[in-house]
Amino acid sequence: MKKISIALFVLIVAAFASHAQTVKVMSYNIRLDIAVDGENGWKFRKDFLASQIAFYDADVFGVQEALPNQMSD
């Protein structure tokens, strides 16, 4: 799966590059949504992450450690 993702990313970048456009890529480790995080829990971090995504306005966005409920948020 990782190789497919990398290949897809390379194809997307190549497609944009052939038209001399800029591609903005963003990767973010959003960290697991676990109860022991206390005041660093996902419910306190998700609005900040959303504001960062909106601010940087990336064309391609990847995450690490994301759980399904975090991706939905």
Side-chain angles (χ1 to χ4, degrees):
M1 183 63 159
K2 187 174 183 179
K3 288 182 182 181
I4 293 171
S5 297
I6 292 170
L8 181 60
F9 173 74
V10 169
L11 287 173
I12 291 170
V13 170
F16 278 103
S18 68
H19 298 294
Q21 295 179 351
T22 300
V23 177
K24 293 189 285 183
V25 179
M26 181 178 184
S27 178
Y28 207 97
N29 184 336
I30 66 171
R31 193 172 140 135
L32 293 173
D33 179 14
I34 53 178
V36 297
D37 278 348
E39 61 186 45
N40 290 320
W42 174 243
K43 65 182 178 180
F44 302 115
R45 294 183 280 126
K46 66 183 178 181
D47 290 335
F48 175 74
L49 175 60
S51 71
Q52 292 296 291
I53 294 169
F55 177 79
Y56 287 106
D57 192 30
D59 299 309
V60 179
F61 179 70
V63 297
Q64 296 86 48
E65 297 188 21
L67 296 173
N69 66 302
Q70 291 171 299
M71 293 303 295
S72 293
D73 289 342

